[in-house]
Amino acid sequence: MILMWLACLGLLLFGLGLFQGALSDAGAFLQKRFLGLSENENSLFKILLLTKMYALSCGGLVRTQYNAMALLNTRTFSKRYSILLLCLSSVAVWSILLMGLGIWLIHWSTLIGFAVVFYLIYFWFGAGKLLFKMFFGLGLVFLGAQLALRDQSILLSTLAEGEIHFLLADGRFTSQFIWLVTSFVMTLLIGVESWSVFFCILLLSSGSLSLNGAVAFVIGELLAHLFVLRWRSRRLDNVARKIAKDYTLASVFGLVVGFVVCGEIRGVFAWGYGFGSNDIVNKNIQFMILFFALIVCQTLTTMAWGHFAAQKKMDEIGAGPYFSPQWIRQDLLSRGLFDYIQEKLKKRLTQLLDQKNNLSTTEREKIPRGILQNHDGEILNLTHWISSISDQGRENC
């Protein structure tokens, strides 16, 4: 029976992925403006604005982080702007915050209705495809959540059969640690972004989960994504690997600070402060406030770290090894960024080939053998890698 309830959660997460993918494609023009920033740009306001707009248009926190790491690894863009994008990647959770706040306030049929309208526009005029996907994805998110709320008796009857129900409702630190570890492991297994947020919303609506436990679930997921980012960066070049490590440590520190801040805010809620709504909506708003506090704390600490990290000079040695083509297959990069990186690296490969072909035999003899081998190795590596990412890009189209 519990599979019926989990199916509603699966429908919700499928819709979320559809929405985020469409949002990323729709925001291509904002991403292009960011990638067009000049290294000598003097307006701090413009830099921050375009970076935030890029993060807003990426469709997700994880995708934004990997976009920034891909730019750092391939050295196809300014290091300073790439680190800033990495630090502001948490801005990408804006859609999750809005969905969480409106999930019980907007009926799913309204969103599906808009999706039908945009589908008809696309069918007859060839425009509005991305808006159709976005509204259809949102409709599935709200449909999945509202079906799960309707069938919460299935969840309650299942939880009542064991002691897990009491553990979920227990807000003490021991229980929080258990759920943090559980969420961490689950995220490693399923790899779905923001699953813990909606899982907690559904459990809070049934009265099965404490707010402290919900915070632990979210922190566990965020820590897991950071761990995976650090793990996937272990084979990148020294600069990108070091930045990924330091960013992870700064983010973990920010989440620890956020955990303490959430505890203080939770104390305010314990005084009986509410938002004048029914109990389900009230708990949901409280949870989203705690989630927002976590994100703010993480962003502030990474921004403080990024201020100093961006000032360090990057080695003059060329980039490599490059990120795995699996990043593209797993849809971790925006389509616009993929095209940008591919174009830049093809130009780099052309320059390397021109340098090799324009060297005479006499000139080659004057160059140390180690440098020539590195040069030829870079050509082979770049040729193979460009071919690999091109194949993955065609599969994802």
Side-chain angles (χ1 to χ4, degrees):
M1 291 294 290
I2 190 62
L3 292 178
M4 295 175 60
W5 188 85
L6 290 176
C8 298
L9 180 61
L11 178 65
L12 184 156
L13 295 177
F14 174 78
L16 178 63
L18 183 63
F19 169 81
Q20 290 180 330
L23 177 62
S24 178
D25 291 342
F29 72 100
L30 293 174
Q31 298 163 21
K32 187 175 181 180
R33 291 196 62 185
F34 168 75
L35 294 172
L37 270 174
S38 169
E39 178 69 34
N40 300 320
E41 178 61 52
N42 296 320
S43 174
L44 180 61
F45 175 78
K46 181 179 179 180
I47 294 172
L48 287 173
L49 177 63
L50 292 181
T51 307
K52 287 182 178 180
M53 289 298 102
Y54 188 100
L56 286 171
S57 66
C58 267
L61 166 65
V62 173
R63 184 181 284 115
T64 310
Q65 290 173 339
Y66 283 92
N67 280 0
M69 287 305 305
L71 289 173
L72 286 165
N73 171 230
T74 56
R75 303 194 184 188
T76 52
F77 195 56
S78 164
K79 175 190 174 185
R80 183 165 62 112
Y81 300 154
S82 300
I83 291 179
L84 179 61
L85 177 63
L86 185 63
C87 295
L88 290 175
S89 58
S90 298
V91 174
V93 304
W94 68 271
S95 58
I96 305 300
L97 287 167
L98 292 181
M99 288 182 203
L101 290 172
I103 204 164
W104 307 130
L105 303 176
I106 303 174
H107 198 267
W108 64 269
S109 60
T110 304
L111 299 169
I112 296 296
F114 278 111
V116 171
V117 171
F118 285 112
Y119 174 77
L120 292 175
I121 293 175
Y122 169 70
F123 181 80
W124 289 108
F125 303 104
K129 181 179 180 180
L130 292 178
L131 286 173
F132 158 68
K133 287 185 176 181
M134 289 171 64
F135 276 100
F136 187 66
L138 275 177
L140 292 181
V141 170
F142 283 54
L143 173 60
Q146 291 165 22
L147 286 177
L149 179 63
R150 187 197 65 183
D151 297 336
Q152 65 178 345
S153 58
I154 298 175
L155 174 67
L156 294 175
S157 62
T158 303
L159 294 177
E161 297 174 358
E163 296 182 357
I164 190 173
H165 186 266
F166 300 100
L167 193 60
L168 284 168
D170 188 0
R172 290 177 296 181
F173 179 77
T174 304
S175 299
Q176 282 186 288
F177 180 75
I178 292 174
W179 295 126
L180 187 150
V181 174
T182 301
S183 177
F184 184 92
V185 174
M186 287 297 298
T187 304
L188 295 181
L189 292 175
I190 64 178
V192 179
E193 181 182 351
S194 300
W195 74 268
S196 64
V197 176
F198 294 100
F199 180 73
C200 291
I201 289 175
L202 297 178
L203 289 182
L204 286 169
S205 67
S206 64
S208 303
L209 181 66
S210 67
L211 280 173
N212 289 343
V215 171
F217 268 106
V218 173
I219 292 178
E221 184 197 333
L222 292 174
L223 288 175
H225 287 311
L226 290 170
F227 173 81
V228 174
L229 176 68
R230 177 68 184 91
W231 176 258
R232 285 173 170 161
S233 303
R234 73 192 187 283
R235 294 180 179 174
L236 303 183
D237 62 284
N238 292 333
V239 173
R241 188 165 62 246
K242 179 70 165 54
I243 290 175
K245 177 184 176 181
D246 293 345
Y247 169 75
T248 299
L249 293 176
S251 296
V252 170
F253 178 74
L255 291 175
V256 172
V257 174
F259 178 79
V260 176
V261 172
C262 285
E264 297 299 322
I265 298 175
R266 179 70 183 89
V268 175
F269 294 155
W271 295 342
Y273 181 79
F275 297 93
S277 302
N278 61 62
D279 188 54
I280 292 179
V281 175
N282 189 50
K283 281 187 177 180
N284 191 51
I285 294 176
Q286 291 178 354
F287 171 58
M288 298 315 296
I289 290 174
L290 296 177
F291 177 52
F292 179 73
L294 274 177
I295 295 301
V296 169
C297 291
Q298 181 188 9
T299 303
L300 290 178
T301 53
T302 53
M303 286 292 288
W305 159 79
H307 173 74
F308 299 100
Q311 296 178 6
K312 295 181 181 180
K313 291 185 178 180
M314 186 180 290
D315 297 336
E316 295 298 329
I317 302 175
Y322 299 103
F323 62 84
S324 170
Q326 289 186 354
W327 289 24
I328 302 168
R329 180 179 62 81
Q330 296 173 355
D331 200 24
L332 296 174
L333 300 182
S334 300
R335 192 180 303 274
L337 183 87
F338 167 73
D339 294 337
Y340 174 85
I341 289 178
Q342 192 176 34
E343 179 184 354
K344 290 288 185 179
L345 291 185
K346 284 182 178 179
K347 289 182 178 179
R348 181 183 298 173
L349 178 59
T350 301
Q351 292 175 352
L352 291 173
L353 290 172
D354 288 342
Q355 291 173 358
K356 179 180 179 179
N357 295 331
N358 291 334
L359 284 175
S360 63
T361 304
T362 304
E363 291 173 330
R364 289 183 65 88
E365 291 176 351
K366 295 180 181 180
I367 300 175
R369 178 172 298 180
I371 295 179
L372 288 175
Q373 289 177 344
N374 290 337
H375 190 273
D376 293 339
E378 174 68 5
I379 291 175
L380 291 174
N381 180 37
L382 202 51
T383 301
H384 174 71
W385 190 79
I386 289 176
S387 176
S388 299
I389 65 169
S390 297
D391 292 340
Q392 292 292 343
R394 283 192 292 269
E395 291 176 6
N396 288 0
C397 289

